[in-house]
Amino acid sequence: ATYDLKKRHNQLKTVLCGRCKLLSHGHMVTAVGGHGGYPGGKQFVSAEELREKLSYLRHEKALIVKLVDIVDFNGSFLSRIRDFAGANPIVLVITKVDLLPRDTDLNCIGDWVVESVVRKKLNVLSVHLTSSKSLVGITGVISEIQQEKKARDVYILGSANVGKSAFISAMLKTMAYKDPVAAAAQKYKPIQSAVPGTTLGPIQIEAFLGGGKLYDTPGVHLHHRQAAVIHADDLPSLAPQSRLKGRCFPANDTDVGLSGNTLFWGGLVRIDVVKALPRTRLTFYGPKKLSINMVPTTEADEFYKREVGVMLTPPTGQERAEGWCGLQGVRELQIKYEELDRPASDIAISGLGWIAVEPLGVPSSDPDSSVEEEDGDSGELHLRVHVPKPVEVFVRAP
């Protein structure tokens, strides 16, 4: 009866399944059971099943376009990509570059990415920096795909929430000017949402004139990212919506040293500064919604117990804080530095963002003080980072 009614009023194009309707209204419906999905998720796909679904790719002749989110570069990298891709050629696309701080030099970022990829021993055809929002770099990816695909199918792979659906929409939009097939395919473009696991199985899209199809694949779910440990309702607060702005501790005008203090990044990360130079600075890059609080390390445990779910969010609200697993993963970091006036390294938190560590980031108020006297013994900073159990902490070149 519904069908007949819709047909009579020419509304068949707008029929949505229940799940898509919820998603398009911003509800959190995850496809993957278990990790951060619904606890009772019987009807959902497990991460292992998704891997199974894609394992046939190894034996196909295909072109793989692998997406990595620049804000969570290490966390979304998908280190075992060859398990899916086999010997197929890979084009590496870095998404969301429009979120990087305003004065970022994209050439430097490009070099940094290439260096990281080489270090991970992954051979790729090329690396592209793109933004699906501002369409930066999209034409470059399209011409690379057209050149390399040679009638093969093209698969878009990446971890959950790396922006595959947005990337495909941007691609179809750009191709639509010249390619009638892509223009027609825009009607069927995948639904986008902040929920990991919106896509349940490979979606086939007729996007190319000369044969070969485009496939949007389910996001591979990684249990070591923050999204896997927090409640589904808190997920939107982890997705940065606008350009990142570094938040510095201590700020320029304060004389507080970091040594002996603890910084909380929302309720998700705790950093104890065991040993640092008097002018060491930490700069946080991540979602604006997470506040950063500093307390003396001696009071940190008590402060966390009292404020988790209140001032330290996510987890949001008392009831979620009660079921919260806490920060059981502890990582001791000894960060060496050669040059004092350059960042020593980045500490990247899987699924959240990164922290730039600068041994001498805070300008000195006393022009005569020399650094040598401050630090006679060794060029090393000592930090202790606490995160929820499966979440990974990476130390990388800044």
Side-chain angles (χ1 to χ4, degrees), residues 59-121:
H59 316 297
E60 301 272 311
K61 275 220 176 319
L63 176 64
I64 308 290
V65 178
K66 168 177 156 147
L67 267 55
V68 179
D69 175 350
I70 191 69
V71 178
D72 184 24
F73 183 80
N74 302 72
S76 65
F77 196 83
L78 264 196
S79 49
R80 300 193 358 241
I81 185 82
R82 285 285 170 206
D83 292 3
F84 301 123
N88 286 316
I90 296 176
V91 173
L92 188 67
V93 173
I94 308 297
T95 58
K96 308 186 191 178
V97 295
D98 57 309
L99 293 177
L100 290 172
R102 206 167 277 291
D103 49 359
T104 308
D105 178 351
L106 287 185
N107 292 329
C108 288
I109 298 288
D111 295 344
W112 182 87
V113 168
V114 169
E115 206 171 291
S116 311
V117 172
V118 170
R119 207 175 286 136
K120 289 176 188 289
K121 298 190 170 60

Side-chain angles (χ1 to χ4, degrees), residues 248-263 271-282 294-297 358-363 365 374 381 383:
C248 305
F249 282 80
N252 281 348
D253 46 3
T254 52
D255 261 350
V256 190
L258 285 178
S259 276
N261 282 314
T262 290
L263 291 143
I271 299 171
D272 301 339
V273 184
V274 183
K275 175 191 160 199
L277 295 182
R279 284 158 47 201
T280 298
R281 175 152 72 186
L282 300 180
M294 185 155 107
V295 295
T297 304
E358 297 170 275
L360 279 195
V362 186
S365 47
E374 291 174 358
L381 307 173
L383 307 175

Side-chain angles (χ1 to χ4, degrees), residues 9 70 98 104 116 132 149 214 249 285 315 333-334 362 370 374:
H9 294 290
I70 191 69
D98 57 309
T104 308
S116 311
S132 305
K149 79 179 184 39
L214 181 68
F249 282 80
Y285 293 93
L333 303 180
Q334 309 277 357
V362 186
S370 83
E374 291 174 358

Side-chain angles (χ1 to χ4, degrees), residues 270-275 328-336 347 380-387 393-395:
R270 164 183 167 173
I271 299 171
D272 301 339
V273 184
V274 183
K275 175 191 160 199
Q328 300 145 340
V330 183
R331 177 106 187 261
E332 300 277 346
L333 303 180
Q334 309 277 357
I335 294 172
K336 292 185 170 51
I347 302 170
E380 203 168 64
L381 307 173
H382 184 182
L383 307 175
R384 193 175 292 127
V385 182
H386 305 248
V387 285
V393 177
F394 304 90
V395 178

